[in-house]
Amino acid sequence: MIIEGCMTSHAVTPLPPLVLDHPLIKHKLTHLRRAETSTAGFRRLVRELSLLMCYEATRELPLEPIEIQTPLEPMQGEQLAGPDVCFISILRAGNGLLDGMLDLVPFAPVGHIGLYRDPETLEAVEYYLKLPSQVSSRRCIVVDPMLATGHSAAAAITRLKEKGARKLLFTCLLSTPEGIACLQKAHPDVQIMTCSIDRGLDEHSYIVPGLGDAGDRLFGTR
């Protein structure tokens, strides 16, 4: 299935990207970028960064009161209100961000969407889609390390909306002005959360200065 990427959406003022600037994120992202970082080190850093990103990505989850008993007395606490969140990984590199997020929200269901870019048309082609139930009522946190051209991200979110998803957040480690503009044009209602807006794209559509191919560095492939 071929999915259109940056289609013009209805006239809505796009949500500005949220750039996470915590010192720990900046520190870990710097070491993630280093060419000499090993595969094991790269995976560890991605997991640690995903933990920090998940903390911000889940900030607006609803709570409900619950009566509990402490060792000293009863009290009213708060807990997450029902199965309100799920994670959607854009294969394959998105899976690298899942582990840390699931450490924090282990009960969240996970969906996967597989896309590849046709080398001639540059259109996103879907080869796999498996989503959790009740996706229309959940807050869907879409994960992919890189927002480069934005075409795959836009196509993935288009497909999720076709399946009923309405509350969507796109999270990535690195982004570019081109990718942000593409995703905002197609889906101005979707918030982008990123750790860095890099300079742009090179002639091969790689993010610069970037960190290389996130999937290859995660899985030790070339």
Side-chain angles (χ1 to χ4, degrees), residues 33 175-178 196-202 206-210:
R33 292 180 187 270
S175 59
T176 65
E178 299 96 322
S196 174
I197 301 176
D198 277 21
R199 185 172 74 249
L201 300 169
D202 68 9
Y206 278 95
I207 296 177
V208 287

Side-chain angles (χ1 to χ4, degrees), residues 179-198:
I180 290 170
C182 175
L183 187 51
Q184 287 179 333
K185 179 180 179 182
H187 301 288
D189 58 321
V190 174
Q191 177 80 66
I192 299 168
M193 179 180 290
T194 184
C195 297
S196 174
I197 301 176
D198 277 21

Side-chain angles (χ1 to χ4, degrees), residues 70-126:
T70 78
L72 299 177
E73 64 182 30
M75 67 161 284
Q76 180 173 283
E78 292 179 298
Q79 66 178 6
L80 293 176
D84 187 69
V85 64
C86 66
F87 299 117
I88 308 295
S89 171
I90 299 179
L91 298 174
R92 66 180 167 151
N95 283 355
L97 292 172
L98 285 177
D99 288 343
M101 293 192 174
L102 289 172
D103 283 345
L104 286 185
V105 196
F107 54 82
V110 176
H112 296 87
I113 180 166
L115 301 168
Y116 69 90
R117 186 171 60 178
D118 186 285
E120 295 183 1
T121 67
L122 302 183
E123 295 290 346
V125 181
E126 177 189 317

Side-chain angles (χ1 to χ4, degrees), residues 37-52:
T37 298
S38 67
T39 298
F42 194 90
R43 290 174 182 163
R44 175 181 55 80
L45 286 164
V46 169
R47 186 178 190 132
E48 292 170 353
L49 282 162
S50 68
L51 278 164
L52 297 168

